[in-house]
Amino acid sequence: MARLKKGEKAIEFSANDYLDNNIDLNDYKGKKILLSFFRGASCVFCNIRVNQLITKYPDFKKKGIEIIAIFISSKDEISKYAGKQKAPFIVIPNPSLDLYEKYGVEESYSGLFKALITPSRIINALTSRFFSLHSLKDKPVIPADFLIDENQDIYKAYYGKDFGDHLPIDEILSWE
């Protein structure tokens, strides 16, 4: 599927989160949503981002923004890795990648190389408590973030350029 653009309708879905709660996008009508697509639950860049979202979660709540995170991992992998952070937001396993396909999220091995050419990123990744070689087996999915408004229209579609590239948190929090 092609990349989604501002003004298009968000693509509806229903899925179970890693704790087996049913999540239906339609239940979020009337709310702002950050829909964030990640690589695998053991990905160091993904876990650093999840940690940033957890840290800023009170600010998201104040702004009325709900967070839904989607990983290519199984629920067991999420529990073992990203789930250890006990995110206060929804985390959905999607190893079939069907949601990734619907939202036009892409794969690219060059995204790994782009993430690794910044020395500060490498040092941050290697020295974080999230580093795991397990993520080497994951598909080379490039993250993507979608800001979905109260009418379930896409306010912003952001397709990352590398494994650690997400929509800046300050930009999300400045969303009116």
Side-chain angles (χ1 to χ4, degrees):
M1 174 169 237
R3 288 183 168 195
L4 300 178
K5 296 178 186 72
K6 180 177 180 161
E8 294 181 342
K9 277 288 182 203
I11 297 170
E12 296 178 15
F13 66 85
S14 180
N16 286 343
D17 69 9
Y18 84 106
L19 300 171
D20 284 328
N21 300 302
N22 185 267
I23 307 302
D24 191 319
L25 191 64
N26 284 324
D27 293 341
Y28 291 85
K29 284 184 180 168
K31 297 180 182 182
K32 292 180 177 181
I33 302 163
L34 165 61
L35 180 63
S36 193
F37 287 84
F38 292 89
R39 292 186 63 244
S42 63
C43 167
V44 64
F45 300 111
C46 301
N47 278 288
I48 289 170
R49 175 61 173 210
V50 166
N51 188 262
Q52 292 168 344
L53 292 174
I54 291 169
T55 301
K56 290 291 192 174
Y57 188 71
D59 297 329
F60 283 100
K61 290 305 281 183
K62 284 180 196 167
K63 297 288 279 183
I65 300 170
E66 300 287 336
I67 300 172
I68 300 174
I70 301 176
F71 281 88
I72 64 172
S73 302
S74 69
K75 71 180 190 174
D76 291 338
E77 287 175 310
I78 291 172
S79 294
K80 185 174 180 181
Y81 296 102
K84 285 185 177 179
Q85 295 192 63
K86 303 204 180 316
F89 47 82
I90 295 162
V91 179
I92 297 174
N94 189 233
S96 70
L97 300 173
D98 64 311
L99 296 177
Y100 289 76
E101 291 172 18
K102 289 178 182 180
Y103 276 81
V105 179
E106 300 164 348
E107 294 182 28
S108 168
Y109 280 105
S110 69
L112 170 62
F113 302 114
K114 288 178 186 173
L116 296 177
I117 61 171
T118 309
S120 61
R121 265 194 161 159
I122 295 170
I123 292 167
N124 192 24
L126 292 174
T127 60
S128 78
R129 68 180 196 259
F130 306 117
F131 183 75
S132 170
L133 292 175
H134 183 74
S135 67
L136 295 176
K137 71 160 193 64
D138 291 331
K139 290 185 177 282
V141 170
I142 304 297
D145 296 309
F146 301 89
L147 298 181
I148 300 171
D149 71 17
E150 299 87 344
N151 298 313
Q152 300 214 325
D153 293 326
I154 294 175
Y155 175 79
K156 181 160 188 107
Y158 184 88
Y159 292 89
K161 295 168 191 64
D162 63 54
F163 282 10
D165 187 23
H166 283 274
L167 185 60
I169 289 176
D170 289 343
E171 188 173 334
I172 299 166
L173 291 173
S174 69
W175 178 23
E176 293 297 327

Short mmCIF file of all heavy atoms in Angstrom, two decimals, residues 33-34 36 47 87 126 169:
data_model
loop_
_atom_site.label_atom_id
_atom_site.label_comp_id
_atom_site.label_asym_id
_atom_site.label_seq_id
_atom_site.Cartn_x
_atom_site.Cartn_y
_atom_site.Cartn_z
N ILE A 33 -4.92 10.84 18.65
CA ILE A 33 -4.14 9.61 18.78
C ILE A 33 -2.76 9.79 18.14
O ILE A 33 -2.65 10.34 17.05
CB ILE A 33 -4.84 8.43 18.06
CG1 ILE A 33 -6.24 8.20 18.61
CG2 ILE A 33 -4.00 7.15 18.16
CD1 ILE A 33 -7.10 7.35 17.69
N LEU A 34 -1.75 9.29 18.84
CA LEU A 34 -0.44 9.07 18.24
C LEU A 34 -0.39 7.56 17.98
O LEU A 34 -0.38 6.77 18.92
CB LEU A 34 0.70 9.47 19.17
CG LEU A 34 2.09 8.94 18.77
CD1 LEU A 34 2.52 9.45 17.40
CD2 LEU A 34 3.12 9.28 19.83
N SER A 36 1.91 4.81 16.59
CA SER A 36 3.34 4.70 16.34
C SER A 36 3.72 3.26 16.01
O SER A 36 3.43 2.34 16.77
CB SER A 36 4.08 5.17 17.60
OG SER A 36 5.43 5.37 17.34
N ASN A 47 13.10 0.76 22.00
CA ASN A 47 12.97 0.83 23.45
C ASN A 47 13.37 2.18 24.00
O ASN A 47 12.78 2.66 24.97
CB ASN A 47 13.75 -0.30 24.11
CG ASN A 47 12.95 -1.58 24.10
OD1 ASN A 47 11.97 -1.70 24.84
ND2 ASN A 47 13.33 -2.52 23.26
N ALA A 87 4.71 0.24 29.89
CA ALA A 87 4.17 1.46 29.28
C ALA A 87 2.73 1.68 29.73
O ALA A 87 1.94 0.74 29.78
CB ALA A 87 4.24 1.34 27.76
N LEU A 126 24.38 1.66 22.47
CA LEU A 126 25.23 0.66 23.11
C LEU A 126 25.28 0.81 24.62
O LEU A 126 25.48 -0.18 25.34
CB LEU A 126 26.65 0.72 22.53
CG LEU A 126 26.79 0.27 21.07
CD1 LEU A 126 28.21 0.51 20.59
CD2 LEU A 126 26.38 -1.18 20.90
N ILE A 169 9.00 14.40 19.68
CA ILE A 169 7.99 14.49 20.74
C ILE A 169 7.50 15.92 20.90
O ILE A 169 6.29 16.16 21.07
CB ILE A 169 8.52 13.89 22.05
CG1 ILE A 169 8.60 12.37 21.89
CG2 ILE A 169 7.63 14.27 23.23
CD1 ILE A 169 9.19 11.62 23.06
#
